Amino acid sequence: MHWWPALHWPTVRSRPRADAGPLLLTTVVVAVVVLFAGAVPPLIRATADDAVQQAVRRAGDDAAIRVHARWEPDAGPRGGRVRDPYLAEAVGDLHRMARDELGPDLAAALRPSIAGVTSSTLKITDGSVQRTFQLSYLGNDPAAGGGPDVTWIAGGAPRPSVPEADSRVEVPYGGPPWPAQVGLSKADAEALGLGPGDRIPLVDQHNNEKYVQVSGVFEAADSDDPAWRLAPWLLRPVPGVDGVGSTRLAGLLSADSLPDARLAFEDDELQRSLWFSPDPESLTQDSAGSIAATVVALKASSGSSGVRDGTLRWETRLDAVLRDVRTQIAAATAQASVLLIGVLAVAVLVLMLAAELLVRRRASALAAARQRGASLPDLAAELLLESTVLALVAAVAGLALAGAVAPGLSWSWATPVVLTAAAAGPALGTLAAARATRDRRVPANRAARRWVRRTGQLRRATLEAAVLAAAVAAFVALHQRGILPAVHSGAPAGPESGQHDGVTLPASAPALGALTGGLVLLRLLPVGTRLALWRSLRSRHPLAVFGAARAAATSARVLPLLVLVTSVALASFALTLQATTVRGLAAGAWRTVGADVRLDVSPAAEDSTADLARRIAAGQGVRQVVAAQVTDGAPIAADSTLVAPRLVIVDAVALARLLAATPLADGPELDKLTAAGPGPVPALVRSTDGELRPGTRLELRRQDGPAVQLAVVGAAPTVGDADDVVIVDAAAIAATGVPVVPNTVWVAGPGAARAAADTSVAAEVVVREDVLAQRRAAPLSLGMLRLGWASVAMLLAMGLLGLALGAAAGASERWQTLTRLRTLGLRSRDTRRVAAGELLPPVAVAAVAGPLLGVLLAGLTLGPLALRLLTLQAADPALVLPWWQIGLLAVALPVAVVAVLRVEFAFRRRRRLAEVLRAGGG
């Protein structure tokens, strides 16, 4: 006797041919769902990589790494300073020292470094306009070919100030100014009116003269060379760098003149630094974690600015940029997991419903095989072999398609679907065969029959209680821990990693909530159909009796109603999230810009800001124009602690009018800023950490005057994306002697963009519509919106498929009854009404309760889903209900019922009377 099952191979081969239609349908469903589940995670990973690269690209100089190091002491044996002719090599050593500390991951993500030596800012004393000057030396990483190339159009490169024999001369402290040669760009030379051999009149901040001579005039071989980014004033005069009305110029040092520049300045007046610019194309979400951890470690081990040694000091915001984008990626992938789990849950229910339909078709054949002597293990093995082969073929096809449309494959999310397709049919088929041939009789004892019935009810209640407990646990985890996984330094933030970071349970909350709601409705539907039947028995419409009787007979079926309710609820949930995200992106753009248009005036043109505002206000379609002085990182102290918030000096009344003309939240306490009276200047504050709050005493510190006391009198409205904001009235603070120079203009109105574009003032124009378009096109936002629509389409398709499968499962009994009623005189039109009366109750319940359940789930999960991280808002966006989209979703189900009935009527129209009246005919 063998322990393995004895398969009847002719039956194994013939059974799939007999039921080719349902099996093909199951195969297609598995392939499509596997395609969806296998393609979404790789697409999310690719989108996350794009998001990291875009974040670093947009961060610009904030993502660059700056390395500072002090010079080695140049004290000589006779108490003076020794000239070091190899000083340029010491600058080159900075490349090697920094590279040794970067680590392999960070070093691979950085472009060749640029070394620079920069002097303190000097004043040009030619009696003309206010101009400043710097001496700069640039040297690229030797691996990148050294410093930037220049062409000398007059004179030559700077030379040493002493002959080679005296290259290590010792210079006493306090001696005359040491000469140093520099080269000037053509633009700087023309601005100064100097040429080779001329001396530049310069003094430092202590009015000490500097001896700087022009060696030649040059032109850059490539003005786009990254090295010029460190000191763009080497190529042309740059206004506003050292204050309003000032212009900075610079002279280029060479390796030969750099030692002379070291002697011409004190130790702290000539700084050497290194600049690393990240290469966005080499960054991925996987490498972002390790890179951020390395940067944090470098900054933690960085030498203090007060330590007078050669320890490297690291400065960068790259870690903050990567941390923010990784948080957004974690939020997006967790939200994607919510949608993906919902689609998979409905797919599992649809496959179980398809397996139930297949077993109904095979019930007589399975019973006959059992009666002929086939054992249950043999039948189970045959069915399992069939379903496993089909499931694997469908899975391979789905994964192949996923590999063709996505940059990679993911099989883990598709596993539940494949297992369901392989196990549901054999399990239900074996159970049906066992029930058809078992010899257990119905007990004659009423108590025994009651015990059997209550045992079945208890099993069902246990299963429902387990689903309810899982749903409660998921919602508790979602609200206590949130949807975001713990972002570790080296862990990827993809959806597959979320399964191991405790995200699966909270991400399952909407799907489990929809399933629980379906189970509740499943309990209520039989009660409603029996009530409808009771009322129809007392009516004068016999058709209502027939329809209600059929509906009551089929209302206890579990899977059809669960598929309909769950799919509609989750599709409504996805549509609500879509609408909320779109509206949140728009609100986030309003918050960032502050109006329809914002103009950030360059420092060189700040004196003309008031005239600019007046010209824009006269433009057509402009409703409100407000000019303000906005200072980020203002020197404000709260209880002797420097907080450095964004300081906004503005006309409070005008700002209130501007806010009233936009969807932004009004500033109800702005009128408190204009309250006249002695004492501290009234101020409104906004703070994320609560450090700035009403009643706090603030102090605005000034370099050119006494500190100004501020009294917090209320909460400030949002101003841009700043976390900490302090707003004061322009007139009130001007009365204390603080000069008010507006540098920002907000413009509201339909003609704001056109009016702002016509200005000739040097200003950055930020248009709200452009910001919104950029954010909608951002990788994470665009990816989530597309995934949302794809999920809605999948859920709707599977819901309609579940409706068709549920109708097909009871079609034989339904049409046998209806055709016999026709033999008794029922008209064809009336049979359609009776059939509709049978199919419509669960559809109507799903069409009404499903959208309401989806909206409820969206409201319960909106906060923990952290949509604000994608919409870039300070708080969670307000829930938006897309009623017309949900309405179309609800209408689709009754329309599908009509289509199903038409197909059934067309298919069974020619059924013969003998087939209907034959005993046992189906």
Side-chain angles (χ1 to χ4, degrees):
M1 181 178 179
H2 300 288
W3 59 269
W4 57 81
L7 303 182
H8 188 253
W9 290 106
T11 303
V12 172
R13 290 190 294 268
S14 62
R15 187 181 290 129
R17 290 196 298 269
D19 299 310
L23 292 176
L24 179 61
L25 177 62
T26 301
T27 303
V28 172
V29 171
V30 173
V32 172
V33 176
V34 169
L35 165 62
F36 186 81
V40 167
L43 289 174
I44 291 177
R45 288 195 295 270
T47 302
D49 294 342
D50 294 339
V52 171
Q53 295 169 9
Q54 187 185 74
V56 173
R57 195 177 293 113
R58 288 187 174 181
D61 292 346
D62 286 342
I65 300 177
R66 302 169 184 83
V67 187
H68 304 280
R70 290 185 176 274
W71 298 100
E72 295 294 331
D74 59 356
R78 294 188 293 272
R81 300 177 63 189
V82 177
R83 185 181 183 277
D84 183 3
Y86 304 105
L87 200 61
E89 297 181 7
V91 176
D93 291 340
L94 194 57
H95 293 282
R96 178 186 53 79
M97 295 168 58
R99 283 281 177 184
D100 291 342
E101 297 188 21
L102 286 177
D105 292 341
L106 181 56
L110 298 177
R111 291 170 176 158
S113 57
I114 304 170
V117 177
T118 305
S119 71
S120 59
T121 303
L122 306 174
K123 297 179 182 179
I124 301 177
T125 60
D126 58 357
S128 60
V129 296
Q130 180 182 353
R131 294 186 291 188
T132 59
F133 196 85
Q134 275 189 338
L135 279 66
S136 299
Y137 170 79
L138 298 178
N140 287 356
D141 191 334
D149 293 332
V150 297
T151 300
W152 296 97
I153 58 177
R159 305 296 301 166
S161 299
V162 295
E164 185 177 357
D166 297 331
S167 60
R168 300 192 62 86
V169 64
E170 182 174 350
V171 179
Y173 284 98
W178 186 263
Q181 293 187 8
V182 297
L184 292 179
S185 66
K186 181 180 179 181
D188 284 354
E190 291 176 352
L192 293 173
L194 301 176
D198 295 336
R199 179 179 175 181
I200 307 175
L202 300 172
V203 295
D204 61 13
Q205 59 181 349
H206 303 296
N207 288 327
N208 297 321
E209 291 188 3
K210 299 296 181 181
Y211 193 110
V212 179
Q213 189 178 22
V214 180
S215 67
V217 179
F218 67 88
E219 286 183 344
D222 181 11
S223 59
D224 294 329
D225 191 307
W228 300 115
R229 292 175 54 193
L230 268 67
W233 33 86
L234 280 170
L235 298 180
R236 67 190 63 86
V238 178
V241 179
D242 298 306
V244 179
S246 65
T247 303
R248 177 182 290 185
L249 303 90
L252 181 64
L253 294 168
S254 67
D256 293 332
S257 64
L258 180 61
D260 297 319
R262 174 77 194 278
L263 294 180
F265 291 87
E266 299 295 332
D267 287 340
D268 295 336
E269 293 179 346
L270 197 69
Q271 302 291 334
R272 63 170 175 166
S273 59
L274 201 62
W275 174 288
F276 288 99
S277 180
D279 181 12
E281 302 302 325
S282 65
L283 295 173
T284 64
Q285 62 154 342
D286 295 333
S287 64
S290 60
I291 290 174
T294 302
V295 172
V296 170
L298 289 175
K299 293 169 69 174
S301 62
S302 178
S304 170
S305 59
V307 178
R308 306 185 70 83
D309 58 16
T311 305
L312 301 183
R313 292 185 291 112
W314 301 82
E315 294 180 2
T316 182
R317 291 195 69 255
L318 179 60
D319 55 330
V321 172
L322 294 178
R323 182 182 65 246
D324 292 343
V325 71
R326 293 184 72 225
T327 302
Q328 291 180 341
I329 291 172
T333 51
Q335 294 163 17
S337 299
V338 171
L339 297 176
L340 191 53
I341 289 174
V343 172
L344 295 180
V346 176
V348 168
L349 293 176
V350 169
L351 290 175
M352 293 178 65
L353 182 56
E356 183 185 67
L357 173 61
L358 181 62
V359 170
R360 281 175 175 266
R361 291 171 56 94
R362 291 178 168 179
S364 58
L366 292 175
R370 182 82 172 113
Q371 292 169 354
R372 289 194 300 265
S375 66
L376 291 178
D378 294 343
L379 285 177
E382 292 174 0
L383 296 175
L384 182 61
L385 176 62
E386 173 191 274
S387 61
T388 300
V389 171
L390 292 177
L392 291 178
V393 169
V396 171
L399 290 176
L401 292 174
V405 301
L409 288 176
S410 176
W411 57 268
S412 58
W413 285 94
T415 302
V417 176
V418 178
L419 292 179
T420 301
L428 294 178
T430 304
L431 183 60
R435 287 177 176 175
T437 57
R438 66 183 178 184
D439 57 357
R440 182 185 301 173
R441 298 180 178 179
V442 178
N445 190 340
R446 180 181 300 176
R449 291 197 302 270
R450 186 184 304 113
W451 182 84
V452 172
R453 184 173 63 255
R454 289 182 176 177
T455 300
Q457 293 174 349
L458 182 60
R459 290 172 180 171
R460 177 179 175 179
T462 302
L463 181 60
E464 293 174 346
V467 175
L468 177 61
V472 171
F475 275 96
V476 170
L478 179 65
H479 282 270
Q480 286 187 349
R481 303 203 307 259
I483 198 68
L484 296 179
V487 180
H488 305 292
S489 60
E496 291 177 320
S497 66
Q499 296 180 3
H500 307 290
D501 289 336
V503 175
T504 303
L505 181 60
S508 304
L512 290 173
L515 188 60
T516 303
L519 292 175
V520 172
L521 294 174
L522 188 62
R523 286 284 187 177
L524 298 178
L525 181 60
V527 178
T529 54
R530 286 195 297 267
L531 179 61
L533 177 60
W534 178 79
R535 291 180 62 87
S536 65
L537 289 174
R538 288 159 176 76
S539 70
R540 298 181 180 180
H541 304 285
L543 294 181
V545 177
F546 297 143
R550 288 297 307 165
T554 59
S555 62
R557 295 183 59 199
V558 176
L559 289 176
L561 183 63
L562 282 184
V563 170
L564 290 175
V565 173
T566 305
S567 61
V568 174
L570 291 177
S572 302
F573 170 81
L575 287 174
T576 304
L577 288 189
Q578 288 282 95
T580 303
T581 301
V582 171
R583 185 73 60 84
L585 288 171
W590 275 107
R591 175 177 180 261
T592 298
V593 180
D596 289 297
V597 175
R598 188 188 73 235
L599 290 91
D600 298 326
V601 183
S602 66
E606 289 180 354
D607 291 338
S608 59
T609 303
D611 294 336
L612 172 64
R614 283 191 292 268
R615 289 199 303 270
I616 293 177
Q620 184 178 3
V622 176
R623 296 174 181 173
Q624 295 291 333
V625 177
V626 177
Q629 178 178 329
V630 180
T631 306
D632 288 325
I636 294 179
D639 300 328
S640 301
T641 301
L642 191 65
V643 291
R646 171 175 290 181
L647 175 63
V648 181
I649 303 176
V650 65
D651 184 346
V653 177
L655 180 59
R657 290 197 302 266
L658 174 70
L659 294 177
T662 66
L664 295 170
D666 296 336
E669 297 181 292
L670 284 172
D671 56 344
K672 296 181 180 179
L673 297 181
T674 58
V681 176
L684 301 180
V685 298
R686 173 175 292 273
S687 178
T688 55
D689 56 6
E691 189 173 2
L692 303 177
R693 56 188 180 275
T696 305
R697 289 283 181 170
L698 304 179
E699 183 180 77
L700 174 60
R701 297 176 179 177
R702 303 169 55 196
Q703 294 182 350
D704 54 353
V708 177
Q709 301 298 319
L710 307 178
V712 180
V713 297
T718 59
V719 180
D721 296 327
D723 295 330
D724 299 331
V725 177
V726 176
I727 300 179
V728 296
D729 184 68
I733 200 166
T736 64
V738 176
V740 179
V741 182
N743 58 3
T744 301
V745 179
W746 289 292
V747 188
R754 183 174 58 257
D758 294 339
T759 178
S760 58
V761 176
E764 180 184 2
V765 180
V766 183
V767 181
R768 179 185 56 82
E769 290 293 341
D770 295 342
V771 173
L772 179 58
Q774 291 174 1
R775 292 185 177 179
R776 286 179 177 174
L780 291 179
S781 301
L782 184 60
M784 286 304 302
L785 292 176
R786 289 176 175 174
L787 178 60
W789 287 117
S791 301
V792 171
M794 288 285 293
L795 291 168
L796 179 59
M798 288 189 292
L800 296 178
L801 178 60
L803 172 61
L805 291 175
S812 179
E813 295 84 355
R814 177 170 59 254
W815 286 100
Q816 180 182 359
T817 302
L818 293 178
T819 310
R820 288 174 177 173
L821 288 175
R822 287 197 63 190
T823 64
L824 299 178
L826 197 66
R827 293 175 298 180
S828 177
R829 181 179 59 184
D830 296 333
T831 58
R832 290 190 179 94
R833 294 179 180 177
V834 174
E838 176 185 346
L839 296 179
L840 277 178
V843 171
V845 169
V848 174
L852 297 178
L853 179 59
V855 171
L856 176 62
L857 292 174
L860 292 176
T861 59
L862 182 62
L865 286 180
L867 290 181
R868 65 185 182 279
L869 296 176
L870 293 183
T871 60
L872 301 181
Q873 294 175 268
D876 294 322
L879 188 67
V880 179
L881 303 180
W883 287 117
W884 70 272
Q885 297 175 358
I886 295 178
L888 291 177
L889 191 66
V891 170
L893 296 182
V895 173
V897 171
V898 176
V900 167
L901 291 177
R902 285 184 176 274
V903 172
E904 286 191 354
F905 266 94
F907 182 73
R908 298 177 181 270
R909 181 187 305 171
R910 300 178 180 178
R911 195 166 189 185
R912 296 179 179 178
L913 181 62
E915 296 177 356
V916 176
L917 297 180
R918 184 181 300 121

